[in-house]
Every structure is written in structure tokens, then in C-alpha cells.
């Protein structure tokens, strides 16, 4: 281990785990499963100090760009407490960093900002000023968050994105989103400055890897309608013929799909007979649309270009095992998707590029299954028991509730509402009802959940399926704001943005109710996914890997929102009798503390904070 002390007062097993991680990396990868509150980020960073001292780089991959600051903020503590001279950089994409793109309106996607950058770079005043600034004063700060780099560059009128690119060569630790590691289209920009072969990769919240859909894309009936209008606008008869044929196919062959129904389609049927060359013509016409929009000072978006690119990718993937083409109706509109299920096959080659890889999360069990499904070969598994006991949590498994079946009946929905109302009347604190799906969420709302909560003095905050990032941030802020009065009710699906990744320390969340088990509905996608995994791992293991384990991990993630440190206390309710059969897969504290009750007993649950005061 390094010659430095750990920068915090060590919690149980932290130093031991850090030493295990450091040793294991000498011969392969590490899969670290540790509960929330263990301190995985500082422990792994501490374990990597010998490698950093030896000249290795560390790439810290997170699920979304908004999470890149966290490991760099931790590095700042290491620098301050240990006197380290390491440089860390929170790296964001052009979408977050381009100053020039702001003139084209908000909410541009990556491809639009890249288009603007490629067209303007030669004459961009921000890019041209890069050579005029001395970045050494910025580098001297050591641990650079996204906002620091953006603000520093903006104040000096230089491009924040390409300033980042210059800083990469000086960085010892780089935090970025998964895409910059798993996507060849994006990773080249990082590899030039941070060679993967000399770097150790840390994959944070690694349980997300199985569902990355690496080669996926989606278009809708709306895409086709806009593409048809654009083809007419630029006078491309070939593109118009192609889009009209595809739109007719969707209307005639897929228009009968009911809401949330789906079926497989053949991408070749989107192209008229003998019209293979029309795809290329449509792509050129789409490029002309982007050019036209760009010259008009508008965002360079083209549905025609998107449709052509989608079709080109789909045609190239026909016959590839693990890729499916699925049509489904959601929100009244038919969508066509390329669905790439090949996580193990694709990711196996990614991990081989690095000197070593650390995969970490609070929910990776069974670890052998996780390793197989994301292509991890030689590895050391490290599992850390949770620190939680009856002082932290009361756990209840409700035996007369279930969301089993394709529809949530009115009687069962009303029973769920009664269960939650009884729980709310007892807890009198910020509570989350995490549902098995948006469908279950709608059923509870229709059965009067929000009204009952309001009658009890709670203010509901609901995650919508079409919620923007800004709306979600405001909703989350409002829910946390209600913690002081203990009257917030959050309703959101398991696997969603509020049930994974969000932190609710202390009194921000003191009760979690899981409404159902978040199994995927028995749709065409679910069937194909299970069949693909069964072809790889056999009938029994394939179903477990594709269907059971991901659902239980989503449930465990949702429960873990309320216990973020050994000082937190919460009431946790498994609202579905089927959890009986899956307790062995749940976190250890859930297995040990779970007590079976009927839904009518939830107004008498034990409140840990009334019995035990944990010093903080």
C-alpha cells in the first residue's frame, strides 16, 4: 500500500479492502461490491495511489456526465490532506462545453454541437484564442471540476472543450461518462492524450453496464413525418420516395399495434425494391437540410439525416446475433428501434484495452453472473458486508400485495393505496413509493394515492415519463426541501432517475415502499432478451441473467436510497409477496431484518429513530 495515510478516520474494513484492491490489480480486474455508505470512492482512490505514483493514469467512468465531478472532488480532499500533487479533471462533452453553440438555442444534442464545432472551428474566436492563454495557473489548482474549467475558460474567452483536451495530457485522474470508454466514436479523443494501455479504469455504478444498448437507436412516426417534409423542402425525390415508402410500411403493417404492444420488424422492408441507393441519397439530402438550418442560424437538426443513418445502421446489423429490430407503440406513436443486447461480447474487448479495471457498485450480486454478462474475464471479487442493523432499519415484507400479472386490478391498486396511507400516517417523514413500472405508477394514481397523501398532509412529487432534466432537478429539489417538515411523498419507478443515482442523506428520505417487483413486462423485447441470453448461457441461467437478476438489482438500488451512511435510519417496505422468493438475492441487511406483515399492519411499523439515536 502507499506510504500515505488514509485521509479520513477509517471505517471498518476500508483499509483492508483498499489493500485487497491494490494487490488484485497486479494480476487482473477487480469487482467490488460494497454497500452505500462504505466509501467506495475514497477507498478505491486510496488503493490506486501506488499506481499513480508509478506513472499510471486513472480513468474514472461514471454513468452520466453530471456525475463526473464526484471523484474529482474526492481527489481534492486527498490533495489537501496528504499534500499530493496529482492533477484531476472532470471531463465533459461538447454539448456541455461549447460556448459558440449557445447562439443556436438550448438543448442541442451531441451531434448538433459537433456539427456546429466542425463548421466553425476554423474561425471560432474561442478556439483561436486557445494559444493565447497560459493554463498553468488553472492546472495549479490540481483537482478541476467541470464548472471550474468552464468558468475559467469563459472568463478568458477561450473554448472550454478544447481547453479540456489540452489539460488531459497533464491529468493523472480523468472522470468522464461511460460513452468515452465504450464508444469507439468518442474514445479516440481521450486515447490520444490518455493511452488506455497505461491506464487503470474504474467503472462506477457498474450494475448499469448490462443495459447500455451500445449500438442502439430509435426513430418514430414523427421522425418520418418531419423527414418527408425535409425531403420535399430540399427537392430530393429519391429521399422522398424512400421516406414515403417507410411511412406507408409503418402505417399499413405496424399501425395496428395497441398501446405498449410491440413486434419484430425487418429493416429491409423499409426500403422499396431496388432502392438501396436511396439511403445514401437520403443521407446527402439530410446533410443539405442541416446545412440549410445552420446557415439560417438555427440548430442543425435533420430528421431526414437521422432516418437515413438509422436505416444504414439497421441494414448493416441484419443477421447479427444479439441485435433485434423492434416496433412498439408508446404514447400513441409507433417507434422503430435497433436494440443491441450484446453487452458481454462488445464490452469484453473494451476491458482488454486497459492495464486493469475496477468495477464497483452496491448491487452486483451474484458477482459471477455480473462478470459473465458484461464480459469480465480474470478478476478478483471483493464483497463487503453492510454496516446496517436494527438500529438503522426496519424491514417489512407485505404478504397480501402484488403487482403480478400484466394489469394492476382496481381492487389490488386500492389495497396498495391503503397500505401506503397507513405507512404515511405512521412515518410522518419524507417517503418514496418506488413502483415496478410507470404502468403501476399510473394505477396507483388512478386509485387515489396522491389524494390520500394530500389528505394526510403530504405534498406529492411525481416522476413523469416525459420529464426533462430541468424538471427532474426541480422536482428533486422540492422533495428534499420538504424534509424539514417531513411531508414529502416521492412517486417514481424503480430503475428511474430518482430510484438510482440520487442521494437522500439524513432526513431527506426516511421511508421507502417498493410497489411490486420491477420485472420487465412480457413484451417482444423481453422475450427476445431472454431468448438471447438463454442461447448464451442455457435456459435456466439465461432467464436468471436477463430477467430475474436485473429486476432484483433495481429493487435493491431503490431500497438503498434511504441508507447512504451508517448514521441513516429508515423504514423499508417490500410491497409484494414475491420478494419472499428473492430475499437471498437482496442485500444482507434486508435478508436479516425482513419481517412478514399484512398491509393492514403498516400503521404500526417500528420507527428506528424513535428507539435508537445514532450519534453523527
Amino acid at each position: 500500500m502507499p506510504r500515505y495515510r488514509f485521509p479520513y478516520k477509517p471505517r471498518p474494513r476500508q483499509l483492508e479492502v483498499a489493500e485487497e484492491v491494490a494487490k488484485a490489480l497486479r494480476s487482473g480486474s477487480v469487482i467490488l461490491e460494497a454497500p452505500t455508505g462504505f466509501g467506495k470512492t475514497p477507498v478505491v482512490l486510496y488503493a490506486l495511489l501506488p499506481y499513480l505514483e508509478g506513472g499510471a493514469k486513472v480513468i474514472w467512468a461514471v454513468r452520466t456526465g453530471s456525475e463526473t465531478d464526484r471523484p474529482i472532488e474526492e481527489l481534492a480532499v486527498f490533495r489537501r490532506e496528504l499534500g499530493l500533487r496529482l492533477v484531476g479533471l472532470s471531463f465533459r462533452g461538447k454539448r456541455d462545453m461549447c460556448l459558440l453553440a449557445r447562439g443556436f438555442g438550448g438543448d442541442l444534442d451531441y451531434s448538433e454541437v459537433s456539427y456546429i464545432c466542425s463548421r466553425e472551428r476554423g474561425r471560432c474566436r474561442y478556439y483561436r484564442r486557445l494559444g493565447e492563454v497560459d493554463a498553468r495557473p488553472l492546472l495549479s489548482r490540481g483537482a478541476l471540476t467541470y464548472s471550474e474549467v468552464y468558468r475559467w475558460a469563459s472568463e478568458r474567452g477561450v473554448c472550454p472543450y478544447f481547453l479540456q483536451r489540452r489539460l488531459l495530457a497533464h491529468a493523472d485522474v480523468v472522470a468522464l461518462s461511460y460513452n468515452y470508454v465504450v464508444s469507439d466514436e468518442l474514445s479516440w479523443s481521450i486515447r490520444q492524450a490518455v493511452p488506455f494501455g497505461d491506464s487503470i479504469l474504474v467503472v462506477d455504478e457498474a450494475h448499469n453496464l448490462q443495459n447500455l444498448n451500445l449500438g442502439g437507436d430509435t426513430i418514430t412516426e414523427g421522425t418520418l413525418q418531419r423527414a418527408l417534409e425535409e425531403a420535399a423542402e430540399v427537392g430530393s425525390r429519391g429521399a422522398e420516395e424512400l421516406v414515403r415508402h417507410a411511412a406507408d410500411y409503418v402505417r399499413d403493417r405496424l399501425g395496428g399495434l395497441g398501446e405498449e404492444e410491440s413486434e419484430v420488424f425487418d429493416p429491409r422492408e423499409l426500403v422499396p425494391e431496388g432502392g438501396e441507393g436511396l439511403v445514401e441519397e437520403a443521407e446527402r439530402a439530410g446533410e443539405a437540410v442541416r446545412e440549410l438550418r445552420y446557415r439560417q442560424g438555427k440548430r442543425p437538426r435533420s430528421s431526414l439525416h437521422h432516418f437515413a443513418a438509422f436505416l444504414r445502421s439497421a441494414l448493416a446489423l441484419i443477421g447479427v446475433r444479439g441485435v433485434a429490430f423492434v416496433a412498439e407503440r408508446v404514447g400513441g406513436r409507433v417507434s422503430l428501434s435497433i436494440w443491441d443486447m450484446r453487452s458481454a461480447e462488445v464490452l469484453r474487448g473494451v476491458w482488454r484495452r486497459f492495464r486493469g479495471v475496477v468495477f464497483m457498485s452496491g448491487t452486483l450480486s451474484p458477482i459471477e453472473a455480473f462478470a459473465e454478462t458484461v464480459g469480465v474475464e480474470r478478476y478478483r471479487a471483493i464483497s463487503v458486508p453492510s454496516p446496517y442493523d436494527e438500529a438503522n432499519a426496519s424491514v417489512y415484507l407485505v404478504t397480501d400485495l402484488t403487482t403480478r400479472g400484466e394489469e394492476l386490478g382496481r381492487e389490488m391498486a386500492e389495497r396498495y393505496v391503503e397500505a401506503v396511507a397507513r405507512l404515511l400516517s405512521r412515518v410522518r417523514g419524507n417517503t418514496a413509493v418506488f413502483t415496478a413500472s410507470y404502468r403501476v405508477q399510473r394505477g396507483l394514481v388512478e386509485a387515489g394515492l396522491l389524494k390520500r397523501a394530500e389528505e394526510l398532509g403530504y405534498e406529492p412529487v411525481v416522476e413523469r415519463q416525459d420529464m426533462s432534466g430541468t424538471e427532474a432537478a426541480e422536482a428533486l429539489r422540492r422533495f428534499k426541501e420538504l424534509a424539514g417538515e417531513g411531508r414529502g411523498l416521492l412517486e417514481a419507478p424503480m430503475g428511474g432517475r430518482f430510484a438510482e443515482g440520487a442521494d437522500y442523506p439524513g432526513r431527506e428520505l426516511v421511508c421507502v415502499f417498493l410497489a411490486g417487483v420491477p420485472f420487465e413486462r412480457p413484451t417482444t423485447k423481453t422475450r427476445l432478451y431472454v431468448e438471447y441470453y438463454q442461447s448464451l448461457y442455457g435456459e435456466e441461467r439465461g432467464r436468471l441473467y436477463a430477467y430475474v437478476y436485473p429486476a432484483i438489482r433495481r429493487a435493491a438500488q431503490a431500497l438503498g436510497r434511504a441508507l447512504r451512511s451508517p448514521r441513516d435510519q429508515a423504514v423499508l417496505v417490500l410491497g409484494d409477496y414475491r420478494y419472499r422468493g428473492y430475499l437471498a438475492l437482496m442485500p444482507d441487511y434486508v435478508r436479516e431484518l425482513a419481517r412478514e406483515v399484512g398491509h393492514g399492519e403498516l400503521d404500526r411499523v417500528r420507527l428506528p429513530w424513535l428507539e435508537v439515536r445514532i450519534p453523527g
Side-chain angles (χ1 to χ4, degrees):
M1 281 303 296
R3 53 191 174 89
Y4 300 102
R5 63 178 175 83
F6 192 60
Y8 302 97
K9 180 181 179 180
R11 296 174 184 168
R13 286 214 66 191
Q14 282 188 322
L15 298 184
E16 178 187 345
V17 169
E19 187 169 355
E20 287 184 57
V21 170
K23 287 181 179 178
L25 277 172
R26 297 173 191 164
S27 57
S29 296
V30 177
I31 299 177
L32 171 61
E33 183 179 45
T36 54
F38 176 71
K40 291 185 285 294
T41 299
V43 165
V44 170
L45 195 55
Y46 186 62
L48 296 177
L49 288 182
Y51 297 91
L52 288 163
E53 288 179 323
K57 305 279 189 178
V58 171
I59 296 177
W60 203 290
V62 296
R63 184 174 62 157
T64 64
S66 61
E67 299 168 305
T68 56
D69 283 353
R70 174 70 187 93
I72 303 306
E73 290 167 348
E74 192 63 67
L75 180 66
V77 175
F78 274 66
R79 281 175 49 88
R80 183 178 66 249
E81 297 296 323
L82 307 181
L84 300 177
R85 300 181 63 84
L86 297 171
V87 174
L89 177 65
S90 172
F91 189 91
R92 297 283 191 96
K94 289 178 181 176
R95 180 181 178 184
D96 293 325
M97 301 296 274
C98 180
L99 295 173
L100 197 64
R102 294 181 302 183
F104 288 80
D107 199 30
L108 275 70
D109 63 26
Y110 168 78
S111 65
E112 292 166 348
V113 178
S114 293
Y115 183 89
I116 293 168
C117 180
S118 66
R119 295 299 307 270
E120 291 287 342
R121 192 179 310 167
R123 55 179 180 268
C124 174
R125 63 185 183 276
Y126 304 116
Y127 182 77
R128 293 169 67 179
R129 288 177 188 159
L130 269 174
E132 302 171 9
V133 298
D134 180 2
R136 284 176 296 182
L138 180 61
L139 275 171
S140 67
R141 300 182 187 181
L144 301 173
T145 62
Y146 144 74
S147 57
E148 284 182 279
V149 176
Y150 186 86
R151 183 169 55 250
W152 193 91
S154 300
E155 290 170 352
R156 289 157 181 78
V158 301
C159 174
Y161 175 76
F162 281 98
L163 175 63
Q164 276 189 141
R165 292 277 297 275
R166 283 176 53 184
L167 297 174
L168 272 175
H170 303 279
D172 301 291
V173 180
V174 181
L176 36 66
S177 77
Y178 292 166
N179 290 334
Y180 286 97
V181 173
V182 302
S183 167
D184 287 334
E185 183 182 350
L186 295 175
S187 66
W188 68 269
S189 63
I190 305 299
R191 293 200 305 265
Q192 288 179 321
V194 188
F196 286 4
D198 298 328
S199 302
I200 292 172
L201 173 67
V202 179
V203 184
D204 212 340
E205 300 296 339
H207 61 276
N208 292 298
L209 290 172
Q210 186 176 341
N211 300 310
L212 283 183
N213 193 13
L214 298 170
D217 193 8
T218 298
I219 61 171
T220 68
E221 288 180 290
T223 308
L224 295 175
Q225 180 59 43
R226 292 188 297 272
L228 192 59
E229 294 167 359
E230 291 174 4
E233 182 181 5
V234 295
S236 174
R237 293 184 177 178
E240 196 170 350
E241 178 187 352
L242 176 66
V243 179
R244 194 178 300 281
H245 176 86
D248 289 345
Y249 170 80
V250 171
R251 184 193 64 231
D252 297 339
R253 297 288 299 277
L254 304 172
L257 286 173
E259 185 65 23
E260 297 188 4
E261 288 185 349
S262 58
E263 66 177 62
V264 174
F265 73 95
D266 185 340
R268 289 169 293 198
E269 296 192 49
L270 298 174
V271 182
E273 188 174 350
E276 290 76 11
L278 297 179
V279 178
E280 186 176 344
E281 183 175 342
E283 202 157 14
R284 288 196 303 269
E287 193 62 38
V289 172
R290 298 177 81 190
E291 170 74 14
L292 178 62
R293 301 286 185 267
Y294 166 74
R295 289 184 178 278
Q296 292 171 340
K298 301 176 182 177
R299 57 194 308 175
R301 172 175 291 183
S302 169
S303 293
L304 180 57
H305 188 273
H306 181 196
F307 167 65
F310 171 91
L311 197 49
R312 178 167 45 80
S313 296
L315 293 171
L317 289 168
I318 288 174
V320 175
R321 189 173 76 151
V323 177
F325 309 101
V326 179
E328 56 188 333
R329 183 181 294 278
V330 178
R333 177 171 290 181
V334 175
S335 65
L336 307 179
S337 296
I338 302 171
W339 193 36
D340 192 341
M341 302 172 277
R342 301 171 297 162
S343 55
E345 179 182 343
V346 175
L347 293 174
R348 183 176 293 111
V350 173
W351 314 140
R352 290 172 178 169
R353 298 173 182 173
F354 291 90
R355 176 173 169 178
V357 186
V358 179
F359 303 90
M360 65 183 198
S361 171
T363 51
L364 295 177
S365 292
I367 287 179
E368 298 80 4
F370 165 78
E372 276 200 279
T373 54
V374 300
V376 186
E377 295 168 318
R378 292 182 301 116
Y379 66 90
R380 165 77 183 279
I382 302 172
S383 293
V384 181
S386 77
Y388 307 123
D389 57 24
E390 63 276 358
N392 300 99
S394 297
V395 182
Y396 298 91
L397 194 162
V398 187
T399 58
D400 55 357
L401 293 176
T402 186
T403 61
R404 185 172 188 169
E406 291 199 40
E407 298 298 331
L408 181 64
R410 183 73 181 187
E411 181 181 347
M412 184 59 71
E414 290 174 351
R415 188 180 296 180
Y416 267 108
V417 170
E418 180 63 25
V420 174
R422 287 176 176 269
L423 185 65
L424 293 176
S425 70
R426 171 64 173 157
V427 170
R428 294 296 172 185
N430 266 25
T431 298
V433 175
F434 291 128
T435 60
S437 64
Y438 280 111
R439 176 181 56 85
V440 171
Q441 182 191 72
R442 288 193 298 271
L444 298 187
V445 170
E446 290 168 2
L449 176 62
L450 305 187
K451 182 180 179 182
R452 287 292 299 276
E454 289 169 346
E455 289 171 352
L456 289 165
Y458 285 80
E459 181 178 319
V461 175
V462 181
E463 179 179 353
R464 301 192 323 273
Q465 205 160 0
D466 60 349
M467 192 175 252
S468 69
T470 302
E471 289 175 316
E474 175 58 25
L476 190 59
R477 183 200 64 78
R478 179 56 184 159
F479 176 71
K480 292 185 171 192
E481 195 176 66
L482 292 165
E485 303 171 65
R487 61 183 195 88
L489 173 67
L490 176 64
E491 191 184 35
M494 287 178 255
R497 68 184 97 196
F498 293 155
E500 291 194 23
D503 278 333
Y504 307 89
R507 303 300 294 174
E508 289 184 358
L509 183 61
V510 298
C511 181
V512 171
F513 183 102
L514 302 187
V517 184
F519 291 121
E520 295 290 347
R521 290 186 67 209
T523 63
T524 300
K525 272 189 173 182
T526 305
R527 175 179 59 78
L528 292 171
Y529 198 51
V530 171
E531 288 176 355
Y532 173 62
Y533 270 72
Q534 288 177 328
S535 74
L536 294 177
Y537 307 114
E539 186 171 344
E540 183 177 351
R541 278 200 303 158
R543 183 180 180 277
L544 288 171
Y545 287 9
Y547 188 68
V548 175
Y549 295 159
I552 303 306
R553 287 183 188 133
R554 285 192 289 271
Q557 280 284 321
L559 284 178
R561 296 309 94 198
L563 294 175
R564 309 304 295 168
S565 81
R567 295 185 302 275
D568 287 337
Q569 295 175 294
V571 175
L572 308 176
V573 180
L574 308 176
D576 196 307
Y577 74 83
R578 291 176 293 170
Y579 280 110
R580 277 176 177 162
Y582 303 111
L583 278 178
L585 300 175
M586 298 293 279
D588 53 4
Y589 67 92
V590 176
R591 298 196 303 269
E592 293 162 9
L593 299 177
R595 173 190 163 196
E596 293 190 0
V597 296
H599 80 279
E601 300 175 69
L602 291 178
D603 52 1
R604 300 192 296 276
V605 298
R606 172 182 167 270
L607 305 181
W609 54 88
L610 293 185
E611 296 185 5
V612 182
R613 183 173 180 82
I614 300 177

